[in-house]
Amino acid sequence: YHDAFMESFRSITFSQGGGTALIMLLVALVVLIVAAITAIYVQVVVVVRVFEVCVRMVFSGFAFVMLANQSTRESGVRYIKQFAGVCVQALVVLLVVGLGSVFIRQSVGLFTASGPDTLIASFMSLVGPMVSCIVMFLMVKQSREIANAVVGA
């Protein structure tokens, strides 16, 4: 994130006047806030999922014991499916975070305007990081549904 946002802030110039620079600074601050919210959300989800995997791993022996009895077999299968769903969600989140930097670099390049130093060119340099953060936020948010669809939980 750091390189993309530093580039966004460097694109703000005073060549077109103070008002334009102030507007661009406000837009850059919005981008920074969106990035901060995304980073906090992703970190919280990762910590919660790792903790949940550890707790479910500790109690996974009970699920296998439940599989031995016909009356509790359904509960054991459900527990194992939920455990697999949490593991797959952790994997999806780690993949999203790992590939997120690649996506951010690529999207910053997509949202550039050529030509002289204009308000539109400066604004377009700020759109890429913001779109990347929103996409990453939504992908991490959807990771639970993706995992449940994969394991059938």
Side-chain angles (χ1 to χ4, degrees):
Y1 294 128
H2 182 266
D3 294 337
F5 293 113
M6 290 309 295
E7 185 62 34
S8 298
F9 280 107
R10 280 190 213 110
S11 70
I12 300 170
T13 62
F14 289 96
S15 63
Q16 294 180 337
T20 303
L22 181 63
I23 290 171
M24 292 308 299
L25 185 60
L26 291 175
V27 171
L29 287 175
V30 168
V31 172
L32 191 61
I33 290 169
V34 168
I37 290 170
T38 300
I40 291 168
Y41 181 75
V42 169
Q43 289 175 358
V44 167
V45 168
V46 167
V47 168
V48 168
R49 291 304 158 243
V50 167
F51 180 73
E52 189 175 356
V53 166
C54 291
V55 169
R56 285 186 180 268
M57 193 174 2
V58 168
F59 293 108
S60 64
F62 294 125
F64 289 109
V65 170
M66 285 191 258
L67 290 174
N69 190 351
Q70 187 66 25
S71 63
T72 59
R73 182 168 289 167
E74 185 179 324
S75 296
V77 169
R78 186 174 54 244
Y79 185 88
I80 291 171
K81 280 185 175 182
Q82 290 172 348
F83 181 56
V86 170
C87 291
V88 170
Q89 183 190 13
L91 177 67
V92 169
V93 168
L94 292 176
L95 285 174
V96 167
V97 170
L99 297 175
S101 62
V102 174
F103 182 74
I104 288 173
R105 284 191 195 109
Q106 294 301 320
S107 66
V108 168
L110 290 175
F111 293 104
T112 56
S114 60
D117 186 27
T118 64
L119 178 65
I120 293 173
S122 299
F123 182 74
M124 290 303 287
S125 69
L126 295 171
V127 169
M130 190 155 153
V131 168
S132 300
C133 288
I134 290 170
V135 167
M136 183 178 286
F137 181 87
L138 293 175
M139 287 176 71
V140 170
K141 190 171 184 330
Q142 287 293 110
S143 63
R144 174 70 89 167
E145 288 80 16
I146 293 168
N148 287 341
V150 168
V151 298

